[in-house]
């Protein structure tokens, strides 16, 4: 049976390995089809496609940052044209504000006595690449800041850094720009892509109630094609709840590992999407095609 994992991250955003290594781990995990879905960027897709071994299929993707009533909502997006004007402009704005937020969080941390610097955070985001240019599409995320906090001895690990410092409401938390979810769905569809609502039961500090069903309904009316019901952060009850919601709304049920390399434990393939659900999800896409090695 074809094994399909539609949600993985590389060091282009907040994973710990470069895209080519994510490809190698997907093959080692016995996955047949996988999507690279770095946060708010398609910058790792070229490297991933070039590294594909024979028989492994890459679905070009991205995890798009959205917000609704102060809570994060994420879209796993696939087969869009990253150069489509409206979507490309939003992605530049999101990435730029990620940098602004990271610098503000560093300022707040330093004011609280935590010895981190923007240069350290940038270096972690660049996977040890020193003074490289973030404008090339590399995305700065809170896990990079969390790793710098740990290196400074102010947290035991990434989760502790979130809990103590940079989680929502924490002393060094700063908000950033994110798209309205309904508008985000429309932007992806206008770019020829399709999208699935990512880990809808997961919010910071809780596994319940992250995405209101009424919002999911409005997103479906705007063109949402799937719901990621099978996610490692969902317990059995939440998985079944969101499977039922997806069926009721007439969209595909997706499953994914949301692998971030060492940050999550290398787990590509621990959740998968049924081939018929995958075919249903991508059928309307016109912006790009899956790539097979």
């Amino acid at each position: 049976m074809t094994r399909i994992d539609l949600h993985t991250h590389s060091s282009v955003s907040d994973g710990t390995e470069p895209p080519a290594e994510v490809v190698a781990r997907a093959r080692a995990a016995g996955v047949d089809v996988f999507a690279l879905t770095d946060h708010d960027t398609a910058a790792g897709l070229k490297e991933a496609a070039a590294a594909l071994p024979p028989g492994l299929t890459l679905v070009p993707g991205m995890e798009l940052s959205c917000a609704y009533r102060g809570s994060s909502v994420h879209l796993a997006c696939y087969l869009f044209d990253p150069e489509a004007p409206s979507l490309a402009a939003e992605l530049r704005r999101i990435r730029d504000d990620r940098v602004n937020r990271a610098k503000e969080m560093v300022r707040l941390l330093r004011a609280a006595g935590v010895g981190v610097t923007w240069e350290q955070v940038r270096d972690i985001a660049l996977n040890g690449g020193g003074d490289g240019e973030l404008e090339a599409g590399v995305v700065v995320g809170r896990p990079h800041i969390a790793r710098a906090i740990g290196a400074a001895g102010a947290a035991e690990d990434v989760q502790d850094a979130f809990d103590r410092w940079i989680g929502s409401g924490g002393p060094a938390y700063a908000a950033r720009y994110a798209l309205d979810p309904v508008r985000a769905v429309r932007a992806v569809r206008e770019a020829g892509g399709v999208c699935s609502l990512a880990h809808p039961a997961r919010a910071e500090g809780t596994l319940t109630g992250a995405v209101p069903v009424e919002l999911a309904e409005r997103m479906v009316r705007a063109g949402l094609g799937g719901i990621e019901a099978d996610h490692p952060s969902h317990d059995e009850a939440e998985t079944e709840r969101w499977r039922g919601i997806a069926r009721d709304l007439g969209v595909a049920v997706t499953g994914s590992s949301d692998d971030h390399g060492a940050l999550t434990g290398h787990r590509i393939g621990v959740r998968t999407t049924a081939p018929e659900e995958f075919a249903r999800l991508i059928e309307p896409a016109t912006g790009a095609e899956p790539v097979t090695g």
Side-chain angles (χ1 to χ4, degrees):
M1 182 177 178
T2 302
R3 300 183 68 231
I4 302 168
D5 186 341
L6 293 179
H7 191 163
T8 68
H9 295 271
S10 78
S11 57
V12 171
S13 65
D14 56 352
T16 56
E17 283 90 30
E21 178 62 21
V22 178
V23 171
R25 290 195 295 102
R27 168 46 57 92
V31 168
D32 303 291
V33 178
F34 84 103
L36 183 64
T37 52
D38 281 312
H39 290 279
D40 305 316
T41 182
L45 296 176
K46 184 176 180 180
E47 179 184 333
L52 286 171
L56 181 61
T57 296
L58 167 70
V59 181
M62 168 184 66
E63 186 172 4
L64 185 55
S65 300
C66 307
Y68 180 72
R69 296 181 179 176
S71 295
S72 294
V73 177
H74 288 183
L75 285 177
C77 310
Y78 311 103
L79 302 175
F80 52 89
D81 175 7
E83 301 304 320
S86 178
L87 182 61
E90 289 290 358
L91 292 176
R92 284 193 297 272
R93 182 176 178 185
I94 289 169
R95 289 195 296 266
D96 288 347
D97 204 53
R98 278 181 173 274
V99 172
N100 294 336
R101 179 190 53 173
K103 290 180 177 179
E104 173 62 9
M105 293 174 106
V106 167
R107 186 190 69 79
L108 292 169
L109 286 163
R110 291 182 64 82
V114 180
V116 301
T117 67
W118 163 244
E119 289 74 21
Q120 288 171 321
V121 172
R122 183 188 62 190
D123 184 55
I124 292 168
L126 289 166
N127 202 30
D131 294 329
E133 291 294 331
L134 291 172
E135 290 75 12
V138 174
V139 170
V140 180
R142 281 186 293 170
H144 301 130
I145 301 170
R147 288 162 64 186
I149 294 169
E156 295 180 3
D157 52 29
V158 167
Q159 187 59 56
D160 187 41
F162 272 77
D163 293 343
R164 287 195 198 187
W165 297 105
I166 60 174
S168 181
Y173 176 78
R176 63 177 173 84
Y177 173 73
L179 275 164
D180 171 80
V182 174
R183 187 157 66 91
V185 170
R186 292 190 180 119
V188 173
R189 294 294 295 119
E190 288 170 4
V194 294
C195 43
S196 182
L197 177 59
H199 43 68
R202 189 181 75 181
E204 290 183 37
T206 178
L207 297 182
T208 59
V211 178
V213 174
E214 62 85 14
L215 175 60
E217 291 170 345
R218 291 196 288 117
M219 294 170 74
V220 169
R221 290 196 292 271
L224 182 74
I227 293 177
E228 188 185 65
D230 293 319
H231 185 275
S233 72
H234 292 182
D235 63 20
E236 184 176 350
E238 289 289 0
T239 296
E240 288 307 311
R241 175 174 181 261
W242 284 99
R243 279 178 167 271
I245 291 169
R247 288 191 294 267
D248 290 344
L249 295 179
V251 299
V253 175
T254 65
S256 314
S257 66
D258 197 2
D259 177 79
H260 287 69
L263 286 180
T264 54
H266 295 100
R267 65 187 190 188
I268 292 178
V270 299
R271 299 287 188 275
T272 57
T273 299
E276 62 272 17
E277 298 291 331
F278 174 61
R280 180 182 180 189
L281 174 69
I282 69 169
E283 191 276 331
T286 58
E289 297 284 342
V291 182
T292 300

